[in-house]
Amino acid sequence: MQKLLSKFRKAINDFKLIENDDKIAVGLSGGKDSITLLKLMSTYKIFSPEKFELIAITIDPGTGADFSPMEKLCNDLNVEFHLIKSDIKEIVFDIRKEKNPCSLCANLRRGILNDTAKTLGCNKVSLGHHKNDAIETLIMSMFYEGRINSFSPKTYLDRKDITVIRPMVYIDELDIKSNAKKNNFPIIENPCPANGFTKRQYIKDLLYSLEKDIPGLKNHLLTSLTNTTQLSIWDKNKF
């Protein structure tokens, strides 16, 4: 946990993710990433130079999952817990019958999460995206959209008047998996019908395969996201 906490703290300092008097809502899905995020946030809060409040919000998409382990986890960590019921599964799969459901599902969950956080007086929402997520988003953007783009460690949503932070962007997914297994986290298995059959899963598997032949690939790709001084892009106006 100490290794993860070190990288977690570095991201907070590098991108100024937490400030005094913040009230931060952790998006707690029940997966290994969000549980790790909650654990890191609650631990960091103990010795943080910034004084902030912390709550957890779980969005129930209507898949029939049992989220009681998340309530117990929050009680054990002394973190205020909120479970929000929704009809996301019905909307995505039964009404819209989406062939590529992940984007709509994510948008609906983010909307409910941000609205709930705002209603509860939060000014920030913390999400459990890690290093691999950032790299996969970069590659997906290049492969499927023809642009160089990924999410930011810190994003202000002016329409919601709330800031989204991602303090785990320096942490590798393998370290998260190892830590979750070692500490026997109460992970809730994802019951989504599309789980494991997405473009992101394809890119994830591809990157793991490529790194066997190109050691350090993930680190190089992550560095490219912060290497703003050497971004050499074709600019037709300069020719």
Side-chain angles (χ1 to χ4, degrees):
M1 196 70 172
Q2 194 61 40
K3 179 182 177 181
L4 273 62
L5 194 58
S6 175
K7 294 182 178 181
F8 182 83
R9 189 174 188 174
K10 177 172 171 53
I12 289 173
N13 291 334
D14 282 356
F15 302 109
K16 300 177 177 61
L17 301 183
I18 297 178
E19 300 164 291
N20 277 319
D21 301 321
D22 279 344
K23 185 173 182 180
I24 305 172
V26 172
L28 184 62
S29 67
K32 68 182 188 319
D33 302 333
S34 67
I35 294 177
T36 300
L37 173 64
L38 180 64
K39 290 268 193 177
L40 289 170
M41 290 288 290
S42 61
T43 301
Y44 179 75
K45 186 174 183 291
I46 296 171
F47 62 83
S48 168
E50 307 88 10
K51 303 306 175 186
F52 63 93
E53 293 183 57
L54 186 65
I55 69 170
I57 299 174
T58 295
I59 308 300
D60 180 352
T63 55
D66 176 15
F67 290 102
S68 60
M70 296 303 98
E71 183 174 9
K72 183 181 184 304
L73 173 65
C74 289
N75 288 337
D76 291 343
L77 295 173
N78 197 28
V79 174
E80 184 180 311
F81 174 74
H82 297 269
L83 177 63
I84 308 301
K85 302 282 187 178
S86 77
D87 299 320
I88 291 176
K89 178 182 178 294
E90 181 181 0
I91 293 169
V92 174
F93 291 102
D94 301 334
I95 298 175
R96 295 281 294 270
K97 302 184 187 299
E98 291 284 324
K99 293 182 179 179
N100 298 302
C102 297
S103 179
L104 176 59
C105 179
N107 287 336
L108 291 172
R109 286 196 301 167
R110 279 196 298 266
I112 296 171
L113 176 61
N114 293 337
D115 287 344
T116 302
K118 191 67 181 175
T119 299
L120 294 172
C122 297
N123 66 310
K124 289 180 179 175
V125 168
S126 185
L127 301 179
H129 295 126
H130 46 65
K131 179 171 79 174
N132 300 64
D133 289 325
I135 293 166
E136 290 158 14
T137 301
L138 171 67
I139 299 302
M140 288 178 68
S141 179
M142 295 171 68
F143 282 15
Y144 296 113
E145 300 172 355
R147 63 192 184 114
I148 298 174
N149 185 55
S150 187
F151 55 73
S152 172
K154 184 179 183 180
T155 305
Y156 175 67
L157 307 177
D158 53 358
R159 288 191 297 177
K160 300 285 187 179
D161 186 29
I162 204 162
T163 299
V164 176
I165 60 173
R166 297 175 171 93
M168 298 206 303
V169 289
Y170 289 156
I171 300 177
D172 194 286
E173 184 177 24
L174 289 177
D175 292 330
I176 293 173
K177 284 183 177 179
S178 176
N179 184 70
K181 184 176 182 180
K182 179 180 178 182
N183 291 283
N184 196 29
F185 285 176
I187 294 172
I188 297 174
E189 294 301 323
N190 186 354
C192 175
N195 186 35
F197 302 96
T198 63
K199 290 179 179 178
R200 180 171 292 276
Q201 186 63 48
Y202 168 74
I203 295 297
K204 182 189 292 290
D205 295 341
L206 177 63
L207 286 170
Y208 274 120
S209 177
L210 286 173
E211 190 157 40
K212 293 178 182 178
D213 297 321
I214 311 173
L217 173 66
K218 286 184 291 185
N219 287 334
H220 295 324
L221 288 171
L222 184 70
T223 299
S224 72
L225 287 172
T226 56
N227 192 354
T228 57
T229 60
Q230 294 181 335
L231 185 64
S232 301
I233 302 295
W234 294 352
D235 185 347
K236 289 183 287 186
N237 295 321
K238 292 183 179 179
F239 289 94

